[in-house]
Amino acid sequence: RFSHGRDMVFYALLLSVMPLMIRSFSDFNILSYGKLFAYSGILLAILVILIYKTSKECRIRKGQLVGVALILGIYSVSSVCMLNALLDFYPVQEQPAVVQEMIISRGKNLDTYYLDVMTSDKQNYHLRVAEYLYDETQVGGTVNILFFQGAFGIPFTQVDETP
């Protein structure tokens, strides 16, 4: 017999992966989404196969398998992103950049702050930054960009707090 509380479990699982997703996409400016999604897709496929093989309920109710796959997809992308950053022991490359434009993306409940910068080798980057760093920066000012290689070869950047 199927559990009548499965909706509550579904929402609990969905809410439990949201902080990981928000953290991974707000803290890291990913430069190569192709590799991120490739590794995440492999992890997602493995997890969905495991769920399908071990859960009789998911084999019978395909809609439930789709919901679980959605949650596992969010988890896969977020965990690959976080592990790529946390396990990165390669040396950091630092490069100064000039701020070309400052952008505020106003949302219904949350504002997101971006800096468009150009490095000395004429590369442009659109980087998400924290509000306090945005407030301390001026157009034409210089910021230091930290370039990380990533443990899985997924490069990402961060704006250094001390230019």
Side-chain angles (χ1 to χ4, degrees):
R1 188 142 198 230
F2 298 118
S3 170
H4 294 294
R6 70 179 178 278
D7 289 337
M8 292 302 291
V9 171
F10 177 80
Y11 293 122
L13 287 173
L14 184 62
L15 290 175
S16 69
V17 298
M18 286 303 189
L20 183 62
M21 180 189 72
I22 292 168
R23 171 80 198 268
S24 62
F25 286 109
S26 65
D27 285 355
F28 310 111
N29 293 295
I30 303 295
L31 298 177
S32 174
Y33 281 100
K35 283 185 177 182
L36 175 64
F37 291 136
Y39 289 136
S40 300
I42 292 168
L43 179 59
L44 175 62
I46 292 168
L47 292 173
V48 167
I49 289 169
L50 284 173
I51 293 292
Y52 185 77
K53 293 286 188 184
T54 59
S55 172
K56 182 178 179 183
E57 188 173 353
C58 283
R59 283 195 303 271
I60 294 171
R61 295 180 178 215
K62 304 295 188 225
Q64 188 173 5
L65 183 62
V66 171
V68 170
L70 172 71
I71 292 171
L72 290 175
I74 294 170
Y75 173 77
S76 298
V77 171
S78 301
S79 61
V80 168
C81 186
M82 291 294 290
L83 288 173
N84 180 61
L86 293 174
L87 300 176
D88 181 19
F89 296 110
Y90 295 104
V92 177
Q93 296 177 350
E94 186 174 339
Q95 193 170 5
V98 177
V99 177
Q100 303 292 318
E101 187 177 1
M102 299 172 66
I103 302 164
I104 301 176
S105 176
R106 300 214 183 267
K108 189 173 186 178
N109 298 322
L110 180 69
D111 294 340
T112 308
Y113 301 89
Y114 296 95
L115 297 178
D116 282 342
V117 298
M118 181 183 287
T119 58
S120 57
D121 59 354
K122 304 297 183 208
Q123 292 288 326
N124 290 316
Y125 295 97
H126 184 72
L127 304 172
R128 185 177 39 252
V129 295
E131 180 180 6
Y132 74 93
L133 191 58
Y134 181 90
D135 292 338
E136 294 174 0
T137 308
Q138 297 176 355
V139 174
T142 303
V143 294
N144 287 332
I145 302 177
L146 304 177
F147 292 91
F148 298 88
Q149 185 175 343
F152 304 136
I154 304 169
F156 63 97
T157 63
Q158 290 180 336
V159 178
D160 193 8
E161 296 178 12
T162 55

